[in-house]
Amino acid sequence: MPEPTTPTLPFSSLPLEPVGPPYNAWGRYGSSDQLGTLNMLTPSTVAAAARTEIRTGTRVSLDWPLSKPTYPSYGRDRLKHVIRRRGPEGRVVNDDVLEFNTQVSSQWDGLRHYGYSDAQRYYNNTTDEQLHASPTLGIDAFASSGGIVGRGILLDYASWAEANSIQINPLASTSIPLTHLQRLIASHNIALSPGGGDILFIRSGLTAAFDKLDDSSQCMLSERPTADFAGVEATEEVLKWLWDSKFAAVAGDMPAFERSPPGGGKSDAYPAEEATLQGVGSLHEVLLGGWGCPIGEMFDLEALAELCKKEARWSFFVSSVPLKVPGGVASPPNAVAVF
């Protein structure tokens, strides 16, 4: 049986649904599609990634502990973990119970997380009423398809910026310009897979910066009036680059991947970014609501960056299987990079 193929379409062909919101790719994989850009992770694409990227068998976890950040931003509750002894005292059996917001630590944003604000639609023209009446677009579809598995590439922006005397504060609302990422790719001789399907990771240094704070400072960070964090600039040029690069998924150690607050382009503080996005306020609207492209946030990329430097290579095999929760909105990634 032949594998499904991803239609090669220029960015200028968007929106695919003419009466839909800006930049949408609705119908690219059919009207009932649940996977979006993960359709690029065909068996042959994954097999090729395994052949070329797995060489030493060294593995690196990409998950931050579920207990971090200790004091979450965006008004979300932190992890509650209870260990319960099973049976009478003296019986050496325990269960544990976890209660947590799937957006609170390392996570994949699923296709139920974010839609187009003005159009009030999620991926493939799905309404909020449809999401609440059925498990459609649930993150369990990612797990059922075999997970987010393939060739990963790391853009270590934090190290590159330091080497080029460029200041970046991952704990402040600043943009990572596309021009910088393109220079980084050129300087590290990173080649994207011509057929697409790469999984993009960008390191801003967020988790390392957070871990340097004492408890009081971590608490104050969560109590700021707005959740200000560094991230990729929200511009049409970035959207075009992501589309043309044919990424199956995008991720970073940043709390929003893009500059936070999400949709900051709608305020006077972000006039340049607002001017370049037509009718939308954030990358989230287009990536999740328009293309069905999973967004990974708050991944722990510190050990990965060190290993990439040691091995002098910036690509690797990545395996990530989200929780199989029917109708789930997001999930810890349960991700590992293999060299």
Side-chain angles (χ1 to χ4, degrees):
M1 184 181 219
E3 289 186 355
T5 57
T6 296
T8 299
L9 301 169
F11 184 73
S12 59
S13 67
L14 303 179
L16 295 189
E17 173 50 66
V19 299
Y23 311 111
N24 82 74
W26 295 349
R28 187 184 192 189
Y29 300 102
S31 60
S32 60
D33 177 56
Q34 305 275 304
L35 297 177
T37 53
L38 295 185
N39 281 286
M40 298 184 201
L41 299 177
T42 63
S44 61
T45 298
V46 175
R51 284 194 303 269
T52 58
E53 299 300 334
I54 300 178
R55 306 173 196 173
T56 67
T58 305
R59 286 98 61 206
V60 178
S61 170
L62 306 182
D63 286 37
W64 212 14
L66 270 176
S67 57
K68 290 186 178 180
T70 316
Y71 304 96
S73 296
Y74 305 100
R76 294 181 171 124
D77 295 329
R78 59 179 167 180
L79 170 74
K80 295 178 182 177
H81 181 202
V82 178
I83 298 178
R84 293 179 176 171
R85 180 183 293 115
R86 298 291 295 173
E89 187 173 349
R91 189 167 185 246
V92 286
V93 179
N94 292 306
D95 285 354
D96 60 357
V97 178
L98 303 178
E99 180 182 331
F100 66 99
N101 186 320
T102 53
Q103 296 281 331
V104 81
S105 187
S106 300
Q107 75 206 246
W108 283 114
D109 284 348
L111 307 188
R112 292 175 145 239
H113 175 53
Y114 222 99
Y116 283 100
S117 296
D118 290 344
Q120 294 288 290
R121 289 294 188 273
Y122 294 85
Y123 178 60
N124 259 358
N125 203 23
T126 306
T127 67
D128 200 50
E129 290 74 20
Q130 288 173 299
L131 293 190
H132 286 271
S134 74
T136 187
L137 298 185
I139 202 160
D140 54 302
F142 295 177
S144 294
S145 71
I148 302 175
V149 178
R151 179 180 185 255
I153 62 167
L154 174 66
L155 305 186
D156 186 357
Y157 183 71
S159 295
W160 180 88
E162 182 180 10
N164 287 272
S165 301
I166 297 171
Q167 290 189 342
I168 176 173
N169 179 0
L171 304 178
S173 182
T174 54
S175 289
I176 298 175
L178 173 60
T179 54
H180 288 188
L181 297 179
Q182 291 171 324
R183 286 168 56 191
L184 187 165
I185 290 172
S187 67
H188 287 172
N189 296 312
I190 297 172
L192 304 183
S193 298
D198 288 337
I199 301 164
L200 172 68
F201 295 88
I202 299 176
R203 175 179 173 262
S204 71
L206 181 282
T207 58
F210 181 88
D211 286 340
K212 289 178 181 177
L213 300 177
D214 60 25
D215 187 76
S216 175
S217 298
Q218 290 179 10
C219 183
M220 289 174 60
L221 195 71
S222 70
E223 295 174 344
R224 295 180 296 178
T226 57
D228 292 351
F229 297 100
V232 177
E233 63 178 0
T235 62
E236 184 172 273
E237 289 76 18
V238 165
L239 285 177
K240 183 178 186 303
W241 174 68
L242 293 174
W243 178 268
D244 291 344
S245 299
K246 305 174 196 169
F247 293 121
V250 300
D253 59 1
M254 307 86 84
F257 181 73
E258 61 186 300
R259 180 183 188 173
S260 181
K266 292 182 177 179
S267 77
D268 292 337
Y270 306 90
E273 292 185 7
E274 182 179 24
T276 63
L277 282 177
Q278 301 175 15
V280 295
S282 68
L283 298 180
H284 271 63
E285 291 186 53
V286 179
L287 293 179
L288 294 172
W291 303 352
C293 178
I295 300 175
E297 297 160 344
M298 288 187 282
F299 277 57
D300 185 358
L301 304 178
E302 295 306 301
L304 176 65
E306 288 302 315
L307 187 56
C308 282
K309 291 175 190 175
K310 178 182 175 183
E311 298 288 334
R313 51 180 286 209
W314 302 94
S315 62
F316 42 88
F317 189 82
V318 63
S319 176
S320 173
V321 183
L323 299 177
K324 202 170 186 177
V325 179
V329 172
S331 171
N334 306 309
V336 62
V338 188
F339 284 73

